[in-house]
Amino acid sequence: MCTGYCLLPTEYCLRPTDRKAGYKKLIPIFLKLFFILKIKLTVIPIIYSDRLQQNKNKTVLAGDLGATKVNLALYKINGRDILIIRSRQYYCREYGSLKEIVQDFVKGHDEKPHSICVGVAGAVIDNKAGIVNLGWMVDGEEVRIATGIDNVALINDLEANAYGLAYLQDEDMITIHEGEKHKGNMAIIAPGTGLGEAGLYWDGKFYHPFATEGGHCDFSPRTDVDFELTKYFLQKEGIPSWDRVISGPGIHTIYNFLRDEKKFEEPEWLKEEFDEENPSAAISEAAINNKAAICVETMQLFTRYFARECSNLVLKMKATGGLFLGGGIPPKILQLIQTKMFIDNYFDCDRQQDLVSLVPIKLIRNDKAALLGALYYGACAME
């Protein structure tokens, strides 16, 4: 019989005479153990991951605040094991501040979290952030006073997405471009109501997420159509940043440009849909189903611009470790991203095709990545 420590059940501990007959029984067990180890090894080593096992029954209130809605969830974390206690989604337009929303979430519940961490769609300075696409100023100190919970942190929402990679597995990703496996920095880009961008610095052992406001850099036109669109944005929206172009509102503005300046026909049925649902969603859906030429051209331009800014971000971060596509839009237009046109425009950069081509590109299909990142930061970084 086996002596000492063993990972196998006792029924698989064999006498020498029984070993040959029992080897076949052991195969599925070894495969299962290998699979478990493999899953653990695929987790991206984010800074503070060495502290995960120190968390014993710690409760964290995690949040993801965008320009449209807020997702809140109360988690209990025990090492790598996560239990969600309760969660709720709030629409920002129905409230006046993040403080009100958090107060509503915690009222009437006895369990008090050890910490609160919220990823917010803005630049966080001194635990405060202005949400540009919402018009709110959020303040972690206000949330602390309102809830009586001492540990409150605001982090950028793309920084939260980056921290969330610590919990994501291969099944949470869709490979857009295989690239090559190299150690090095990573980057994440996420179009939604606005455009978020963040980096992950590789120190040789861990990845360190950091926020940027790169989405608000100037849009860079190349073609005659690009220059015409730039002029249209200047007249209608103001400075044409990537945030204004590669976003939900940007889709609608590109559409209006094609209708007003390029004289594309606008179907009557589509105008009726605009009254019933978000115009950007209606446009992208019509494009995917090839229902209107103006929508197809809108999303062709949008996809081309998205690919170009992906390339720009990879170059700025020297993201040889990989590029991740997050946000609400990419999973909804996956058919447009999984195309030769997207990859060709991604490669079409200034004399660095060799670098951008080796970078793996993966689309995050887990829509809770930012929430999990806020949980991770609240559990591991706030001590």
Side-chain angles (χ1 to χ4, degrees):
M1 299 295 287
C2 294
T3 58
Y5 295 103
C6 183
L7 291 172
L8 300 176
T10 55
E11 63 265 32
Y12 292 105
C13 296
L14 307 173
R15 294 188 300 273
T17 55
D18 297 330
R19 282 175 187 163
K20 186 173 181 180
Y23 283 157
K24 290 183 179 179
K25 295 173 71 177
L26 290 174
I27 290 173
I29 300 298
F30 283 129
L31 287 175
K32 184 176 180 182
L33 289 171
F34 173 76
F35 180 74
I36 293 171
L37 291 172
K38 181 175 182 293
I39 286 298
K40 289 184 177 179
L41 289 173
T42 57
V43 176
I44 295 171
I46 304 295
I47 188 67
Y48 309 126
S49 60
D50 52 342
R51 299 180 185 175
L52 271 176
Q53 297 304 327
Q54 300 172 18
N55 290 296
K56 304 298 181 183
N57 294 319
K58 180 184 286 187
T59 55
V60 177
L61 174 54
D64 176 20
L65 167 61
T68 305
K69 58 185 181 294
V70 186
N71 290 313
L72 293 178
L74 184 64
Y75 293 96
K76 186 177 289 292
I77 180 169
N78 188 15
R80 283 194 175 276
D81 297 328
I82 303 168
L83 173 67
I84 185 166
I85 299 172
R86 65 180 185 277
S87 64
R88 184 175 169 185
Q89 184 176 93
Y90 295 84
Y91 285 92
C92 298
R93 65 177 180 271
E94 297 174 3
Y95 295 84
S97 67
L98 174 64
K99 178 186 73 173
E100 289 180 27
I101 292 173
V102 175
Q103 280 181 308
D104 182 79
F105 184 83
V106 300
K107 72 180 181 183
H109 295 279
D110 295 332
E111 188 151 17
K112 188 176 180 180
H114 293 88
S115 58
I116 298 175
C117 180
V118 182
V120 300
V124 180
I125 301 173
D126 296 331
N127 218 22
K128 300 177 183 178
I131 314 301
V132 175
N133 291 312
L134 178 61
W136 283 8
M137 174 60 73
V138 295
D139 187 339
E141 179 65 10
E142 286 185 356
V143 174
R144 185 192 70 79
I145 294 170
T147 60
I149 297 165
D150 290 334
N151 297 317
V152 177
L154 304 180
I155 61 175
N156 176 264
D157 60 339
L158 260 290
E159 188 180 1
N161 268 276
Y163 278 111
L165 294 174
Y167 283 125
L168 301 189
Q169 306 289 346
D170 287 343
E171 58 266 30
D172 295 306
M173 311 281 187
I174 298 172
T175 299
I176 303 301
H177 174 61
E178 195 71 36
E180 300 175 11
K181 291 184 178 180
H182 290 274
K183 296 294 186 182
N185 300 337
M186 292 179 175
I188 181 168
I189 182 169
T193 306
L195 179 69
E197 298 181 353
L200 296 94
Y201 163 68
W202 173 246
D203 72 358
K205 185 178 180 180
F206 294 112
Y207 284 100
H208 298 251
F210 62 91
T212 81
E213 288 300 323
H216 293 282
C217 291
D218 284 359
F219 171 67
S220 50
R222 287 187 190 176
T223 68
D224 289 343
V225 171
D226 295 352
F227 280 103
E228 291 177 55
L229 178 61
T230 299
K231 184 178 179 181
Y232 186 83
F233 263 98
L234 284 167
Q235 293 171 343
K236 302 291 183 178
E237 304 287 342
I239 295 172
S241 65
W242 289 106
D243 179 90
R244 291 184 185 272
V245 177
I246 310 172
S247 61
I251 290 174
H252 197 195
T253 304
I254 294 170
Y255 173 94
N256 290 339
F257 159 73
L258 293 173
R259 181 196 62 200
D260 299 342
E261 301 297 324
K262 308 304 286 184
K263 306 306 177 186
F264 274 73
E265 180 183 353
E266 181 178 53
E268 287 298 322
W269 59 265
L270 188 58
K271 287 194 287 185
E272 293 175 6
E273 286 196 11
F274 287 173
D275 295 331
E276 299 175 2
E277 65 174 308
N278 183 292
S280 300
I283 292 164
S284 59
E285 183 180 349
I288 289 170
N289 293 306
N290 200 25
K291 293 171 65 176
I294 186 172
C295 296
V296 171
E297 183 64 18
T298 296
M299 295 311 297
Q300 291 280 314
L301 288 173
F302 178 89
T303 304
R304 178 160 66 87
Y305 298 146
F306 182 35
R308 280 175 41 199
E309 181 60 0
C310 284
S311 184
N312 289 339
L313 185 59
V314 163
L315 292 171
K316 290 175 182 177
M317 301 291 176
K318 195 189 173 190
T320 52
L323 173 69
F324 296 91
L325 313 182
I329 294 178
K332 297 173 184 174
I333 62 167
L334 179 60
Q335 292 170 256
L336 302 176
I337 295 173
Q338 288 180 316
T339 60
K340 185 175 182 296
M341 183 196 73
F342 178 86
I343 294 300
D344 285 349
N345 279 279
Y346 167 74
F347 287 164
D348 190 18
C349 65
D350 177 34
R351 296 175 292 175
Q352 285 290 344
Q353 286 83 3
D354 289 345
L355 191 154
V356 299
S357 65
L358 65 82
V359 175
I361 304 175
K362 295 189 177 183
L363 185 147
I364 299 171
R365 62 180 179 181
N366 186 328
D367 62 0
K368 298 296 187 292
L371 203 59
L372 290 171
L375 162 65
Y376 181 88
Y377 190 91
C380 299
M382 299 170 63
E383 293 189 332

